[in-house]
Amino acid sequence: MGILNEGITWSLSDPGMGIMERAGLAALYLSLRVAEEEGVSLAPLEWQPDDLTAEAVTIRSSSSDEEALKRLFEWCWQVRNGVLVFPAIHSERARENLHLRLSHHNGILSTFLQHPKVQPKGEFVQRIVSLDDAKEVRAAYQVLEAAKLKPLTDLSSLFRKGELTPKPVTLSGWVFPGIAPRYATEKAWVGSANTALLLMLSPIAVLYQQLATERSSWIFVVPDVVNLETYADGKRNLQRLLDPGVSDVAGLSDAGLRFLAAVATDKAARMPVAGCRVVAMGKVTYYPNQKVRRGVVNIVPRSTALKRYRALNRIMGNAWVQLKTKPEGVQANSIKTKAKKQPVKMAAARDEKNASHFSTVPSGRGRIADNLANNRPWYTDLFSPFSWEKRILEKRLGGSIQASWFRMLSMQRDNFHALIEEEAMWDREEDRLFVEAFWENLRALYALEGKAVERGGTRDVKKRWQHLREDIRRMLFRANTRNQVRQVMADIFSRPAGRVSKT
């Protein structure tokens, strides 16, 4: 007789239930609930409606443990047209549209299942997909074979003669991406088969976002689930985060707050999560063969931060940029992969055309989101780009990082004006009025420079504005103490009738 014949119950409050295990339990709950709603039989796996509660999940089997759990995992982990499908997460629309599943597919292959020894990957495919609003964007992914999917192949290691083993089992490091054993004698993970089942399901309940400035880096958000029912009810709020272009983020806090702001819109009285853990995965020079953890933050859902982030995302959300049409005869799709250096196989003949749009993330949103997550004023350290932003500035623009970053921020001045006007962004009205007055003074200075062109001279208005911007930037970046900042601010306020000094 197997363990499942008597039934197994997992609870959110069981000893040893960490954030990853609770996410796995949420994935199990969601998968069973969707199967129930859609009338899908997972026999010989069985459960009753009252086996799915806000705190716990119970499952049983009328046959062997292995047969029942294999059926469960085949339902939870699916592959369609070479791309992952999760019934627990993906709506019917997402299941029918490949591009709506790519954030999960590419995210998992870049985090949990990144290593070739863990998950063999097929050919790299690139295609053009049409969105509902007449935009055509490029979608790229590596094909997976369902028979080689790691969670399915690892499942057999949990059984002895068809029943769940009572002895400790081991799993490879894919269940905790970025943490690998350092020595030959170490094991990546050792524990009970019951816990292993949850860890093997946990990637399903994770949100995957791509770092906009480093396309090879991925961020995954693990929910700290405290109520299975309300989390399942709020799942529909997460569907819009699967749309192309929305999955690009400016940093860890940006990804975490985006997730929390989505699940917090549920009308249930109780927040379904206690927070989230955000992990950034990317390559480093000293370990080029695989991606490692480059950052980890834990974020709690404070109402003020979520309210301000919604305003930030509304004003400085991702934007679509239309690409210029390439001359006839230029083949845009003759791209080679870095790993195998083979031509990218296109999915269909119509994919030979070029994408018409691509998504961008406004500069500064990552820093502002990080300030909100850490309960700081939203404009704190706005002149200090993150490390990945510095690298992209060095690579693409060259010259001074500070000057380039300041110039990129200046391109967002309309967005900053809109943020200043948002009452939700301020604790005190006098703070908002001060910043607004500062910007009004800057407008006066730029207007005077524009009027000065009428007097003649060798500089046109564009050059005058550029010189003024550089003068202000140097003054602000040299102000390293509070007194120096006050001195610079006083200098700018005292010179609306003339050009800012270089002192």
Side-chain angles (χ1 to χ4, degrees), residues 371-392:
N371 289 332
L372 297 180
N374 289 280
N375 200 26
R376 296 190 296 256
W378 62 269
Y379 47 82
T380 303
D381 293 331
L382 194 55
F383 292 156
S384 301
F386 292 117
S387 58
W388 50 85
E389 290 168 329
K390 291 179 180 178
R391 284 191 291 272
I392 202 68

Side-chain angles (χ1 to χ4, degrees), residues 132 362 445:
D132 296 337
L445 291 171

